[in-house]
Amino acid sequence: MNPLAAERPENTLEQRMQLLIEAVSDYGIFLLDPDGRIVSWNTGAQKLKGWTREEILGQHFSIFYPKASVDSGWPQEELRLAKLRGRFEDEGWRVRKDGTRFWANVILTALYGPMGELTGFAKITRDLTERRHHEEELRVSEERFRLLVDSVRDYAIFLLSPEGVVESWNAGAQAINGYQAQEIIGRHFRSFYTPEDAAALKPERELQDAREHGRVEEEGWRVRKDGAMYWANVVVTAVYGPDGELRGYAKIVRDTSERRRLEELEQSSRRMNEFLAMLAHELRNPLAPIRNAVTIMQLESLTSPVLRNCRDVIDRQLTHITRLVDDLLDVGRLSTGKITLRKELLRVSDIVARSVEIARPVMAARRHSFETEQPAEALYVNGDSTRLSQVLQNVLVNAAKYTPDGGRIRLRVEASGNLVNLCVIDNGRGIAPENLQTIFQLFMQADGGTSAAAESGLGIGLTLARSLTEMHGGSIEAASPGLGQGSTFTVRLPLASQVAAEEDEKGVQDPASGLRVLVIDDNRDSADSATDVLRLLGNQVECAYDGETGIRLAERFRPQMILLDLAMPGMDGYEARKRLRALPGGDSLLLVAMTGFGNEEDKRRTREAGFDGHLTKPVELDALVSLLNDARTRGN
């Protein structure tokens, strides 16, 4: 055989391998001699590093390394490790011909001859700069996210292992739960649960729900490191890896104790308002016959001065009790925004007259001297007559109560620019400087609830006065030189435009012609006393104590006006109204709801139900006479 023919296949294989290496352009593939000098150079190496074959052959491969690596002897260390291990892989910065740097993956393999001698090294270099860039961006992003999570203090954000062991801990978790990171990492998260919840396996159920549903949110009590409990909103999310295996749980906890406290306060306030409304209803039922009885005594002539005095005492105290009930209800309405104003053009002098009339018995009982100063010209405001009278009345009564017997109280009315000032000046106990603002707070009294103040009411009159004044766009303030030197309360209200002439005063007409009036009320005392009052006013009156009897009586009696209680057993007032309207002539009846419920919502409900009027127990005589006049006008 020809020796040359035998060598040809081997030479052909080497040539093919050389061609293959030369064709690779994404990898730098070259050979080094045992000392590290470059002895071959492929196209990929030239593309990657920038040197041509002629430029680089014979150069030491340390030319590709940054100066700091060369100075540290790292290229020689790579050769040593490759010789020692047979193969060495590394990543690091390398340098191109133009001086730019790139991140390289390097594999260095030791090459040996047939006798085991070292013949050199094969080196493969790959440019991983782009991957490195993405990894660095990811690392920076993760670092920013970690810093963001760690810096959050309003939320506890931490990771749990699949078994529920704490693996991370942010500043918010430390602030809310009280544990340092080194104290809690590695412990089971049941440490945050009450003993009862832990015994009931609530933490384990929470993780199970998160596994089954992906995410679970709940609220409940949690325990801090010091044993204190707080109300927490908790979100647990199951975290899965790319292959679908459970990596653990992300848990976010928020301390919502303050929100829960506010919700409980709102619920408590709502329950209190409901209680006050029911209390007022229950109180007004017995107050109604008492008021009617006093009215009867006022309409009848009493010869005995002792009886007249007793009647007046009952009248004053009944008025006081009714005002306290109304004040309590108004506080509840203010807190829920249920007070609505029915504004109209009002003369200030009329507001003053009405307020003084109500407050005068309190001042007379304490033997105070009282005087008013009003300008000659009429002043007008846009407002709710009842509410503005309530404001001034509360201020006057406050002055009367906090002024020793035999004191002096003065009401001065004056225009100031586009405002009208109503100043109540007394020579009473005065107010300490630190109390000038707190006296307007709910249930606050200037002397902190001493025995003297304990007789003065509930401490809500000035709160109502300020709130109602502000609802009219005005203000109220207190001033005093000090304790024992009297005080001045000034109510300021926006003036309305002057009108050409004042309206004639509308006097209350006495329905002398008499009306047929039917009273239907299951409270016999209330029904009987109201019947007596109506008869004394010159009307023909019949009375029924339940709805069915009232309807039968109405068919026979043919009343022009019916006073109808709402809260009756069996047939209530709303059902009775429907039945009464269906009677012959029912469309012309003046149907008036008579009830202990008297807030604006109650009045709106009775209007929508078709009642023509709404009387709140105990019924005031003026309101009753006004409705009688309406019925008389309708009859004409």
Side-chain angles (χ1 to χ4, degrees):
M1 180 179 292
N2 188 337
L4 295 176
E7 294 176 0
R8 190 174 297 120
E10 182 180 344
N11 292 336
T12 302
L13 179 61
E14 289 180 357
Q15 290 173 0
R16 288 177 178 175
M17 287 296 296
Q18 185 64 35
L19 289 173
L20 176 63
I21 292 172
E22 285 291 336
V24 173
S25 62
D26 293 332
Y27 291 81
I29 303 175
F30 52 96
L31 294 175
L32 306 177
D33 66 15
D35 297 324
R37 298 191 178 277
I38 302 164
V39 296
S40 73
W41 195 247
N42 81 328
T43 304
Q46 179 175 334
K47 177 183 175 182
L48 181 62
K49 299 177 182 289
W51 282 278
T52 64
R53 182 179 289 104
E54 292 75 15
E55 293 173 320
I56 200 63
L57 291 180
Q59 298 280 352
H60 195 274
F61 83 111
S62 60
I63 194 173
F64 308 136
Y65 289 75
K67 184 176 184 302
S69 297
V70 175
D71 292 343
S72 67
W74 182 246
Q76 287 76 15
E77 180 66 13
E78 281 188 351
L79 296 180
R80 187 186 72 80
L81 292 173
K83 182 179 179 182
L84 177 65
R85 302 172 184 172
R87 179 182 182 277
F88 176 73
E89 183 172 358
D90 183 35
E91 287 191 8
W93 291 110
R94 297 297 184 266
V95 180
R96 296 188 177 93
K97 176 184 177 182
D98 61 7
T100 59
R101 302 204 310 174
F102 66 98
W103 188 261
N105 172 268
V106 176
I107 299 175
L108 195 63
T109 304
L111 303 176
Y112 293 91
M115 302 300 293
E117 74 279 11
L118 180 69
T119 60
F121 302 90
K123 191 168 186 181
I124 301 175
T125 303
R126 184 159 54 110
D127 185 354
L128 299 181
T129 305
E130 189 67 23
R131 192 197 72 179
R132 165 87 174 179
H133 177 69
H134 289 313
E135 289 176 348
E136 182 64 17
E137 284 185 338
L138 180 61
R139 186 194 66 79
V140 171
S141 176
E142 290 175 346
E143 180 67 13
R144 286 175 178 170
F145 181 73
R146 185 187 65 78
L147 291 173
L148 172 64
V149 170
D150 286 346
S151 64
V152 172
R153 296 189 59 83
D154 295 331
Y155 292 80
I157 304 174
F158 53 97
L159 295 174
L160 303 177
S161 72
E163 296 74 31
V165 175
V166 179
E167 293 184 334
S168 70
W169 199 245
N170 79 327
Q174 179 177 330
I176 291 174
N177 291 294
Y179 294 93
Q180 299 283 342
Q182 61 270 22
E183 295 176 310
I184 197 63
I185 290 178
R187 291 174 57 181
H188 198 276
F189 82 113
R190 70 170 61 90
S191 303
F192 312 133
Y193 290 76
T194 64
E196 295 80 9
D197 286 345
L201 301 180
K202 185 173 182 179
E204 287 75 10
R205 289 202 310 273
E206 200 171 80
L207 297 187
Q208 180 180 347
D209 290 342
R211 283 196 305 273
E212 293 176 355
H213 305 291
R215 177 184 182 275
V216 63
E217 181 174 359
E218 63 106 16
E219 293 195 353
W221 291 110
R222 295 295 184 269
V223 182
R224 306 186 207 274
K225 176 186 175 182
D226 60 7
M229 298 209 313
Y230 67 99
W231 188 259
N233 173 271
V234 179
V235 177
V236 182
T237 304
V239 179
Y240 294 91
D243 54 356
E245 81 280 7
L246 180 68
R247 293 285 184 86
Y249 305 90
K251 189 164 187 180
I252 301 176
V253 180
R254 183 161 53 105
D255 183 352
T256 55
S257 303
E258 183 64 18
R259 189 199 70 189
R260 178 179 170 85
R261 188 184 70 83
L262 291 175
E263 289 174 350
E264 289 176 344
L265 283 175
E266 289 175 359
Q267 292 175 1
S268 176
S269 175
R270 187 161 51 251
R271 288 193 297 268
M272 179 59 72
N273 290 335
E274 292 170 356
F275 167 76
L276 289 176
M278 183 59 66
L279 175 65
H281 178 265
E282 295 302 321
L283 286 175
R284 280 170 170 163
N285 273 330
L287 288 177
I290 298 173
R291 167 59 66 194
N292 292 335
V294 171
T295 301
I296 291 170
M297 286 189 285
Q298 290 171 334
L299 293 172
E300 290 284 348
S301 58
L302 296 177
T303 57
S304 170
V306 175
L307 290 178
R308 287 199 301 271
N309 182 61
C310 290
R311 176 199 66 193
D312 294 342
V313 168
I314 296 172
D315 182 42
R316 287 193 300 271
Q317 296 307 314
L318 181 61
T319 300
H320 181 62
I321 294 172
T322 303
R323 186 175 63 82
L324 289 178
V325 172
D326 288 341
D327 282 355
L328 277 172
L329 282 175
D330 281 343
V331 167
R333 294 168 191 157
L334 280 171
S335 66
T336 55
K338 290 184 177 179
I339 285 188
T340 56
L341 302 180
R342 299 191 176 187
K343 292 186 177 182
E344 57 183 329
L345 188 65
L346 303 172
R347 281 190 300 183
V348 175
S349 59
D350 290 341
I351 299 171
V352 169
R354 184 173 179 180
S355 305
V356 171
E357 180 184 359
I358 297 172
R360 193 179 293 278
V362 181
M363 293 187 284
R366 290 182 174 255
R367 302 188 304 280
H368 295 318
S369 65
F370 176 72
E371 60 183 48
T372 60
E373 300 176 15
Q374 298 191 66
E377 70 278 9
L379 301 176
Y380 293 85
V381 295
N382 281 310
D384 186 309
S385 175
T386 300
R387 294 305 184 183
L388 288 180
S389 298
Q390 187 179 1
V391 169
L392 189 54
Q393 166 202 335
N394 281 342
V395 176
L396 287 169
V397 169
N398 183 77
K401 288 181 175 180
Y402 283 90
T403 299
D405 291 357
R408 296 188 308 277
I409 299 174
R410 182 159 51 100
L411 170 59
R412 185 176 70 238
V413 180
E414 59 187 8
S416 177
N418 60 347
L419 298 173
V420 57
N421 297 335
L422 295 94
C423 303
V424 176
I425 307 160
D426 65 63
N427 65 341
R429 282 186 272 175
I431 307 169
E434 63 271 17
N435 291 330
L436 286 174
Q437 291 302 319
T438 59
I439 56 172
F440 291 104
Q441 296 176 8
L442 190 60
F443 303 128
M444 292 295 292
Q445 294 173 323
D447 49 4
T450 62
S451 57
E455 306 174 345
S456 302
L458 301 173
I460 60 180
L462 291 180
T463 304
L464 284 172
R466 182 178 64 176
S467 298
L468 292 172
T469 301
E470 290 174 350
M471 289 177 69
H472 282 83
S475 63
I476 182 171
E477 67 177 24
S480 174
L483 291 175
Q485 301 181 63
S487 58
T488 300
F489 284 80
T490 303
V491 178
R492 295 185 175 89
L493 296 169
L495 278 170
S497 301
Q498 293 291 333
V499 295
E502 297 182 10
E503 295 181 352
D504 292 333
E505 293 186 1
K506 296 181 179 179
V508 176
Q509 296 179 328
D510 182 9
S513 59
L515 294 171
R516 293 186 306 280
V517 183
L518 174 60
V519 177
I520 306 176
D521 192 341
D522 66 304
N523 186 313
R524 289 176 176 263
D525 286 340
S526 177
D528 293 343
S529 56
T531 299
D532 292 340
V533 171
L534 288 163
R535 284 175 178 161
L536 286 171
L537 291 172
N539 301 287
Q540 302 176 52
V541 189
E542 292 289 345
C543 175
Y545 304 124
D546 62 81
E548 289 287 356
T549 304
I551 291 169
R552 291 196 300 270
L553 190 55
E555 291 176 333
R556 174 182 58 81
F557 183 50
R558 305 289 297 276
Q560 296 164 281
M561 182 171 81
I562 299 178
L563 303 183
L564 182 57
D565 184 35
L566 296 180
M568 295 186 295
M571 182 190 299
D572 66 10
Y574 292 101
E575 179 61 26
R577 186 206 67 81
K578 293 180 184 177
R579 299 273 298 275
L580 290 166
R581 284 291 191 212
L583 295 176
D587 291 341
S588 62
L589 273 174
L590 187 71
L591 279 170
V592 179
M594 186 171 63
T595 175
F597 293 105
N599 63 33
E600 294 301 325
E601 178 64 19
D602 298 320
K603 294 176 181 178
R604 181 191 64 78
R605 192 179 302 132
T606 54
R607 284 198 304 273
E608 291 179 352
F611 283 93
D612 300 301
H614 186 112
L615 288 175
T616 304
K617 296 178 180 178
V619 177
E620 296 291 339
L621 181 60
D622 288 348
L624 179 60
V625 171
S626 177
L627 282 170
L628 289 169
N629 290 335
D630 290 344
R632 181 170 174 270
T633 302
R634 180 179 294 198
N636 295 334

